[in-house]
Amino acid sequence: MDGTRGGIGELASRAGRWLARSAAASGQHTTAVVADRFDRFTWQDTYGQSAGLRDLAEELNQRYDHITDVLTDAFLAAYKVGPRLRERAEMDPSRLVNHQVITSLLDSPEFAELHRETAGDPYAAAMAVLAQAAALRRMLESSRAAQEQAERAKKARQAAEDAATAVGEALQEAADQADQDGTVPSPADDAVHQAIEAADAAEAAARQAARAAEQAGTAAAPGVRAAARNAVAKAAGAAREESALMRAWGVGSGELERMPFDQRARLAERLRTGRLAQWAELIGRFRQMADGERARKVENATGELVGVTLGDDLSRVIPSELANLGLPALRAVFAARYAAGELMLYDSQGEQRTGRGAIIACVDTSHSMYEAGPGGVTREAWAKACALALLDQARDAGRDFVGILFSAADKLKVFRFPADRPADLTQVLDFAETFLGGGTSYQRPLSAAGELLEEEFNDTTRMRGDIVMLTDDDCGVTETWMRGWNEAKHRLGFRVFGLAIGAPRVAEADSVLDALCDNLRSIEDFTDVHAAADLFRVI
C-alpha cells in the first residue's frame, strides 16, 4: 500500500524498552537515609525549633545545592536507631554527592561513638549536625566539581527520560493513525523511528554524563572521607562532653527528653559557659562518690552483737523475753516492760544515728575562696561540689536541703530546696554560681541555719538536722551568741560538721570552728573528693 510502512506491532516492539524506561523514571529519591513519616515529622519539628539548623541551612543554601536534603540525611543518620542508606541506583543523580557525604559519615570509625549519644534523641542529633557544620562545608566544597557533574548527569538523565516519553507519544500517534490491519502511514512510522534514534542518543549522552559524574565523585572521595572522619570525631566529642556535663549537674536523661528544645539548648549553653563549668568533672566525681557512700551506709545496722541491753526495740528482743508471750499469765508483764522500755535486747556495735531534719550547707563565698589549690581547683569549686552532693544526699533521704551562701555579716543568700518537690535546676545553678565576695562572718549564716531548723521543728516537730560549714577562714563569735547557739543546739538536737578548705589553721583544736563543730576536718587536696567520704556515711 502506497505511503505506508510496517505495522504497529513491529513499532511497539522496537519502542518497548523506551516505554519501560519512561514508566520507571519516577522512582528516584532525593534523600539517602531511608525514613518513614514519623522520622520526617521528627526532623521537621526539630528543624522548626532549632534556629541553629535554620541558620546553617540558609548559609549553605547560598553556595550549594540541595542543602535541606543533606541536612535531613545528616540528622536522620544520627537520630535513627538503625540508619539504613538507599542504594546509589535508587538516588536522583543530583543527590549522589549527598549520598557520598552521608556514606562517609556512617562509615567513619567514630560514628558508633557518636551514635550512642544521639540515637533516639532529636536534640542530640541536631547538635551533632551543628557540630559537623564546618566539616560539612569542607565536604561540599571539595565535592563541588562532582556536584556540577552530577547536575549535568541529572539534566542528561532528564533529557533521556523526555526522549523516552517522546517515543511513547510518537507510538501512540502512530497507533491512532494505523488502519484496521495495523499498517502505519509513513510519516507516523518515520516519527516513531526518529523518536527512537533521539532516545538512543539521549541515553548514550546520559550514560556518558553518569560516568563523568562517577569519576568526579571518585576523585572527591578521599577528601570527603577525611572531612567526614573529622566531622564525626568532633561531633562525638561535643555530644560526649554535653552528656557528661548534664550528668555532672544531676540532669537525668528522662528530664532531658521532657525538656523543650530551646530550654535544653539554653541549659546546655549555661552549663558550658557558667562560672563553675570548668569544674563539672569535679562536681560529677563528688556526686558519684557520695552516691557510692550512700549505697554502703545502712541506717540502724545491727552490726556486731556485743551483749544485752534494755529498751523497746522489738526487732532485737532476746528469745527468753519472746517466750513470755507464749504464756498468757506473763503477757501483761511483757507489755508493761515494753511500755517502760525495759525489755532485754541484743546490744550491738555499728549503729548510726543519722539526721531526720534538714541538711543545711553553709558555703563561704568570701574573696579568699577564689584561691586555687592542686590541679587548679578553687576553694569555691570544691565547696560548691561538696554542697551539691549534700543536696543529692538530702533528696535521697527525703530531707529538706538549704544552701546558705555567706561572706561578710551583711551578705547572705539562702536557697531552699524542700523535700516534697523536685529541685529546680535553675535554682540549683543559681546556688552553684552565686559568689558574694567580701569578708567572713560565722554568726550570720549559723544563726540563719538555726532559725531554719527551729522553724522546721515548729512546723513538723522534726529534729536532728545537720549543718555543714564549708569555709577557709576563722572568725570570732560573741559569748552571748555562743550561749544562745548551744541552747538551740541542745533543744533541736542538730549536729554541726566543719570543713576547713585549704586552711589547716582553721581546723586546729583552739579555733572557733572547732568549738562550733561536732566533727571537723581539714581539706588540702582539692582534687580529692574522698576526703569528705565519711561525711556522707553519717549525715
Side-chain angles (χ1 to χ4, degrees):
M1 185 181 298
D2 292 339
T4 62
R5 286 196 181 174
I8 191 64
E10 179 186 351
L11 289 176
S13 177
R14 290 195 60 191
R17 70 188 184 96
W18 297 113
L19 299 179
R21 177 66 55 84
S22 178
S26 61
Q28 294 180 318
H29 298 276
T30 57
T31 54
V33 179
V34 178
D36 58 29
R37 62 190 181 92
F38 298 106
D39 297 327
R40 289 189 290 272
F41 173 80
T42 300
W43 157 249
Q44 291 162 3
D45 182 59
T46 304
Y47 185 82
Q49 293 186 62
S50 173
L53 285 176
R54 297 194 301 274
D55 291 344
L56 177 61
E58 182 179 357
E59 175 207 336
L60 294 180
N61 268 321
Q62 295 175 6
R63 300 192 61 189
Y64 310 106
D65 297 324
H66 317 305
I67 289 305
T68 301
D69 289 335
V70 77
L71 293 182
T72 301
D73 281 329
F75 171 85
L76 292 175
Y79 170 72
K80 286 178 65 66
V81 174
R84 181 170 63 86
L85 290 182
R86 303 184 193 281
E87 296 296 329
R88 286 177 63 83
E90 299 178 64
M91 297 296 297
D92 183 300
S94 65
R95 306 307 200 277
L96 287 175
V97 168
N98 291 3
H99 189 282
Q100 184 179 47
V101 168
I102 302 304
T103 299
S104 297
L105 292 174
L106 288 173
D107 288 345
S108 172
E110 292 80 10
F111 182 78
E113 180 183 356
L114 171 64
H115 199 238
R116 280 194 295 270
E117 302 290 347
T118 61
D121 187 339
Y123 170 86
M127 293 302 103
V129 174
L130 293 175
Q132 296 173 90
L136 279 174
R137 293 186 193 95
R138 290 195 298 274
M139 284 187 276
L140 293 169
E141 188 62 36
S142 66
S143 57
R144 184 186 286 275
Q147 183 61 43
E148 292 172 355
Q149 290 288 354
E151 293 294 343
R152 295 191 188 100
K154 177 179 173 61
K155 291 177 181 177
R157 174 54 51 199
Q158 185 61 54
E161 291 168 5
D162 292 344
T165 301
V167 171
E169 293 171 350
L171 184 62
Q172 182 61 53
E173 182 69 22
D176 292 341
Q177 296 180 28
D179 57 22
Q180 291 183 351
D181 64 359
T183 304
V184 177
S186 292
D189 184 273
D190 290 340
V192 173
H193 284 82
Q194 289 169 7
I196 291 174
E197 290 172 1
D200 286 337
E203 176 64 18
R207 285 198 299 268
Q208 184 176 356
R211 283 195 298 271
E214 192 70 28
Q215 290 168 358
T218 300
V224 171
R225 282 195 295 269
R229 183 165 187 172
N230 290 335
V232 173
K234 182 176 180 180
R240 186 172 57 251
E241 288 172 10
E242 182 164 313
S243 179
L245 197 60
M246 293 294 181
R247 287 195 300 271
W249 286 95
V251 186
S253 57
E255 185 178 357
L256 289 175
E257 290 172 3
R258 294 188 298 271
M259 197 176 292
F261 188 97
D262 287 344
Q263 182 183 348
R264 186 169 169 183
R266 289 193 299 271
L267 171 61
E269 180 65 17
R270 183 174 182 183
L271 293 183
R272 281 194 298 269
T273 60
R275 287 190 59 250
L276 295 180
Q278 60 181 317
W279 310 125
E281 191 269 341
L282 172 72
I283 293 168
R285 285 196 294 118
F286 231 116
R287 288 179 134 156
Q288 220 172 20
M289 176 276 294
D291 186 58
E293 294 302 320
R294 281 195 297 277
R296 293 201 298 166
K297 179 178 72 174
V298 180
E299 188 177 343
N300 294 326
T302 54
E304 178 187 359
L305 298 178
V306 295
V308 176
T309 187
L310 299 180
D312 59 2
D313 186 349
L314 296 177
S315 66
R316 294 188 294 157
V317 175
I318 66 174
S320 61
E321 286 277 28
L322 289 173
N324 292 333
L325 288 174
L327 301 173
L330 296 179
R331 288 174 186 169
V333 175
F334 181 92
R337 287 165 62 82
Y338 172 67
E342 295 179 350
L343 293 173
M344 287 190 289
L345 313 175
Y346 284 121
D347 195 9
S348 64
Q349 291 179 339
E351 296 185 359
Q352 300 177 35
R353 178 180 177 273
T354 58
R356 281 288 179 266
I359 297 176
I360 301 178
C362 298
V363 182
D364 188 349
T365 60
S366 61
H367 281 312
S368 58
M369 292 290 284
Y370 270 131
E371 188 172 329
V377 181
T378 64
R379 296 174 177 182
E380 179 204 8
W382 196 96
K384 294 283 183 64
C386 183
L388 290 173
L390 287 169
L391 169 59
D392 292 344
Q393 187 89 348
R395 309 306 296 180
D396 184 74
R399 301 168 66 181
D400 290 348
F401 177 82
V402 181
I404 298 178
L405 304 180
F406 71 93
S407 58
D410 60 342
K411 293 185 177 182
L412 190 84
K413 194 166 181 63
V414 178
F415 296 83
R416 304 186 70 161
F417 299 90
D420 60 357
R421 57 177 179 266
D424 180 74
L425 184 57
T426 300
Q427 189 183 15
V428 172
L429 292 174
D430 288 342
F431 167 62
E433 294 178 349
T434 299
F435 193 89
L436 302 176
T440 306
S441 168
Y442 282 177
Q443 288 186 194
R444 181 83 190 281
L446 289 175
S447 293
E451 290 167 5
L452 287 166
L453 292 175
E454 182 87 50
E455 176 187 322
E456 180 181 39
F457 174 72
N458 292 336
D459 289 345
T460 66
T461 70
R462 277 202 300 268
M463 299 175 62
R464 291 164 54 194
D466 291 310
I467 299 173
V468 182
M469 278 285 287
L470 301 109
T471 182
D472 69 342
D473 201 2
D474 199 27
C475 64
V477 295
T478 66
E479 290 185 14
T480 301
W481 181 89
M482 194 68 176
R483 281 196 297 272
W485 172 256
N486 287 332
E487 289 171 2
K489 185 178 178 185
H490 178 73
R491 184 174 69 258
L492 300 173
F494 60 78
R495 300 174 297 178
V496 183
F497 298 85
L499 296 163
I501 304 171
R505 59 179 175 74
V506 177
E508 291 176 356
D510 60 347
S511 69
V512 174
L513 193 60
D514 179 62
L516 290 169
C517 295
D518 303 296
N519 183 307
L520 177 61
R521 84 258 348 255
S522 177
I523 306 299
E524 297 183 50
D525 183 357
F526 301 162
T527 63
D528 181 14
V529 300
H530 295 280
D534 61 324
L535 191 67
F536 296 92
R537 290 196 294 272
V538 296
I539 287 183

